């Protein structure tokens, strides 16, 4: 099966590595990450995306793509709340990324399409703005048990992502946001993506088909594919100081800290508690592990 490289307008202007945001760098690899914001496995992919970006972000550009209801577990989410709660709880225990399945019993999401459009509206303020907004939406879902189909919750996400609120409200149901979402769904179909999360790797310098990975895999698998696409084994970049990492990402889980720095969960918790004592971070108690907010 083959996946030809898709064309996205303005794609050459996006840069995902925190160390390279300030200027344009031509990167050989394009990574398309197909997600459903309601998918717990997509949420559980976050630690690996962060680590891959920090270690090898100088080689690739990431494009998050809204794939819609591709995960079989999420195709009929509003008709099976008890089943979804069980799936979320199981995923949280397996991956270490907290998913509070009580959402589906206590505050079920009515229609996620509004959130899909909101993510594309946020992207109109820049790719980084879109990624930060997406993360805030996921935090509202998996940590705070909020119904992200409500406008007031989406506005909270926009404020937390430091978007231009007036511009965001204008774009929320605009033709531009709707067209961008349709482009994502069209790309999902063209690339024969039928499950979330799915990652497709392309090398822009080599006229070859992409490599597609469907589902959630250990971090080493993504590194192995990247090496294959680069046709060389790169040296990982030095990890930033922990406080710099927190400042960049704003809210992170102990699992994310553990994965990025190669620590046990216990060591990650101890390091975060040291910063908490220094009033550098605030602990967010989640159902299945702790998250930490950086105090600016």
């Amino acid at each position: 099966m083959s996946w030809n490289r898709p064309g996205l307008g303005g794609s050459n202007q996006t840069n995902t590595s925190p160390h390279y945001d300030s200027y344009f760098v031509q990167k050989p690899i394009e990574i398309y990450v197909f997600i459903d914001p309601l998918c717990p496995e997509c949420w559980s992919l976050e630690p690996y995306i962060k680590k891959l970006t920090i270690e090898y972000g100088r080689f690739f550009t990431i494009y998050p793509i809204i794939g819609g209801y591709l995960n079989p577990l999420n195709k009929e989410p509003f008709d099976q709340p008890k089943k979804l709660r069980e799936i979320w709880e199981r995923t949280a225990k397996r991956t270490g990324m907290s998913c509070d399945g009580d959402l589906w019993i206590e505050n079920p999401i009515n229609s996620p399409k509004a959130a899909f459009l909101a993510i594309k509206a946020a992207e109109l303020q820049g790719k980084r703005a879109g990624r930060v907004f997406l993360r805030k939406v996921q935090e509202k879902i998996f940590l705070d048990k909020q119904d992200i189909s409500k406008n007031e919750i989406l506005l909270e996400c926009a404020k937390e992502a430091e978007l231009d609120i007036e511009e965001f409200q204008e774009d929320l149901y605009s033709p531009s946001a709707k067209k961008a979402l349709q482009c994502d769904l069209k790309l999902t179909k063209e690339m024969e993506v039928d499950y979330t999360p799915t990652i497709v790797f392309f090398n822009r310098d080599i006229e070859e088909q992409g490599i597609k990975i469907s589902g959630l895999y250990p971090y080493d698998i993504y590194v192995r594919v990247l090496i294959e696409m680069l046709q060389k084994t790169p040296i990982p970049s030095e990890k930033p100081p922990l406080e710099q990492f927190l400042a960049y990402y704003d809210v992170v889980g102990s699992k994310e800290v553990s994965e990025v720095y190669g620590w046990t969960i216990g060591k990650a918790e101890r390091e975060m508690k040291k910063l908490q004592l220094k009033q550098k971070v605030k602990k967010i108690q989640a159902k299945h592990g702790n998250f930490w907010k950086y105090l600016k």
Side-chain angles (χ1 to χ4, degrees):
M1 192 175 294
S2 66
W3 300 275
N4 295 322
R5 181 179 292 104
L8 292 182
S11 64
N12 289 341
Q13 298 176 7
T14 304
N15 192 310
T16 59
S17 171
H19 306 294
Y20 294 86
D21 272 351
S22 58
Y23 56 90
F24 170 75
V25 177
Q26 185 77 11
K27 300 182 182 183
I29 305 298
E30 295 176 342
I31 300 179
Y32 294 79
V33 183
F34 293 82
I35 62 164
D36 173 354
L38 297 176
C39 168
E41 286 197 345
C42 294
W43 173 241
S44 301
L45 182 65
E46 283 283 286
Y48 303 145
I49 294 294
K50 283 181 171 59
K51 187 172 184 177
L52 198 67
T53 299
I54 287 170
E55 292 192 333
Y56 303 105
R58 63 193 189 276
F59 296 108
F60 64 78
T61 301
I62 281 187
Y63 302 102
I65 307 295
I66 302 298
Y69 297 121
L70 297 179
N71 191 320
L73 304 178
N74 286 345
K75 285 187 176 179
E76 299 176 9
F78 316 115
D79 298 329
Q80 46 182 345
K82 290 183 180 179
K83 182 179 178 182
L84 272 177
R85 178 173 66 176
E86 180 184 334
I87 290 164
W88 278 33
E89 296 293 316
R90 198 162 57 235
T91 302
K93 290 173 184 176
R94 174 170 56 88
T95 66
M97 281 292 279
S98 188
C99 314
D100 195 337
D102 291 339
L103 163 74
W104 297 106
I105 306 299
E106 299 172 8
N107 192 24
I109 296 169
N110 295 316
S111 173
K113 187 177 179 181
F116 294 175
L117 283 171
I119 292 164
K120 305 319 290 184
E123 285 182 2
L124 295 175
Q125 297 189 33
K127 289 294 183 183
R128 167 150 173 82
R131 289 193 304 274
V132 174
F133 180 81
L134 168 60
R135 171 69 183 209
K136 295 304 176 185
V137 167
Q138 290 175 307
E139 288 168 10
K140 293 294 182 189
I141 296 169
F142 295 112
L143 303 182
D144 300 337
K145 297 184 289 185
Q146 296 294 314
D147 181 355
I148 45 81
S149 64
K150 295 180 178 178
N151 273 7
E152 59 266 30
I153 301 300
L154 294 174
L155 280 175
E156 280 183 28
C157 293
K159 289 173 184 174
E160 290 174 11
E162 299 182 351
L163 301 184
D164 182 315
I165 300 302
E166 186 176 341
E167 184 179 339
F168 174 74
Q169 288 178 302
E170 289 176 1
D171 289 334
L172 189 51
Y173 297 104
S174 69
S176 297
K178 291 176 182 176
K179 183 178 179 181
L181 180 57
Q182 287 303 313
C183 285
D184 276 16
L185 299 176
K186 181 182 177 183
L187 187 60
T188 301
K189 185 175 180 180
E190 287 177 353
M191 297 180 71
E192 301 177 359
V193 173
D194 56 10
Y195 189 88
T196 57
T198 287
I199 299 181
V200 185
F201 292 75
F202 289 101
N203 189 326
R204 66 163 67 240
D205 297 331
I206 301 173
E207 289 302 320
E208 290 184 0
Q209 298 162 356
I211 296 179
K212 182 167 75 172
I213 305 176
S214 295
L216 184 66
Y217 288 87
Y219 177 71
D220 290 347
I221 298 297
Y222 304 112
V223 175
R224 199 178 305 166
V225 173
L226 183 63
I227 289 170
E228 183 176 339
M229 296 302 295
L230 287 169
Q231 298 184 347
K232 64 179 180 180
T233 304
I235 297 172
S237 294
E238 218 174 279
K239 294 178 179 63
L242 180 57
E243 193 171 336
Q244 184 180 333
F245 169 76
L246 296 167
Y248 185 81
Y249 285 108
D250 186 45
V251 174
V252 298
S254 294
K255 166 65 178 180
E256 292 175 297
V257 174
S258 167
E259 184 65 41
V260 167
Y261 288 92
W263 298 336
T264 63
I265 290 290
K267 179 172 173 55
E269 289 271 326
R270 288 193 296 273
E271 294 300 319
M272 296 308 299
K273 285 176 182 176
K274 290 177 187 176
L275 291 177
Q276 184 183 20
L277 289 172
K278 295 178 181 178
Q279 298 186 327
K280 299 287 187 178
V281 297
K282 174 185 176 183
K283 183 165 77 170
I284 302 171
Q285 184 72 51
K287 188 172 184 179
H288 299 283
N290 294 320
F291 280 69
W292 309 85
K293 179 171 176 58
Y294 183 71
L295 300 176
K296 299 176 181 178

